[in-house]
Amino acid sequence: MDEADEVVLVDLPPGAFCENRLERGAIYAQDKAQRAMENFFTETNLAALREMAMRHTAHEVEDKLHTPHAPDPGGAPARPERLLVCLTAGRHPPS
């Protein structure tokens, strides 16, 4: 991740990941999905992975904010980064 040109964090709560993605077979076939949820994709593991991803992304954003922006070669001033946050009112994100 440190060598990536761009990192995009798409956040999905652990419960929604299991219910929406794994259980409907979007990641593994139905028979493998149940084993995956029992072994690796536990709520504890997913919460830890989610926290690691958020921390890493936050550090990336912080580093970019403290790195001076190079001016555009055409003379236009550098534009600051923009951040988009999408919140839904429902319990689960849209499918």
Side-chain angles (χ1 to χ4, degrees):
M1 283 184 66
D2 291 333
E3 295 179 16
D5 292 332
E6 180 178 12
V7 176
V8 176
L9 177 65
V10 178
D11 184 35
L12 189 62
F17 174 79
C18 288
E19 292 171 18
N20 290 339
R21 308 276 299 148
L22 278 173
E23 289 178 359
R24 73 169 194 236
I27 300 190
Y28 294 115
Q30 292 288 337
D31 59 323
K32 291 183 181 181
Q34 187 60 39
R35 283 194 308 251
M37 286 189 294
E38 292 168 359
N39 296 307
F40 181 74
F41 293 114
T42 63
E43 189 136 348
T44 302
N45 283 355
L46 290 171
L49 290 169
R50 182 183 188 205
E51 181 179 347
M52 288 170 49
M54 287 180 177
R55 286 179 186 269
H56 187 84
T57 304
H59 288 295
E60 291 289 320
V61 170
E62 189 172 89
D63 286 347
K64 282 187 177 185
L65 289 175
H66 295 297
T67 302
H69 296 285
D72 184 279
R79 292 183 293 156
E81 298 282 333
R82 289 187 170 83
L83 178 66
L84 172 66
V85 178
C86 177
L87 302 174
T88 60
R91 181 173 164 241
H92 300 289
S95 299

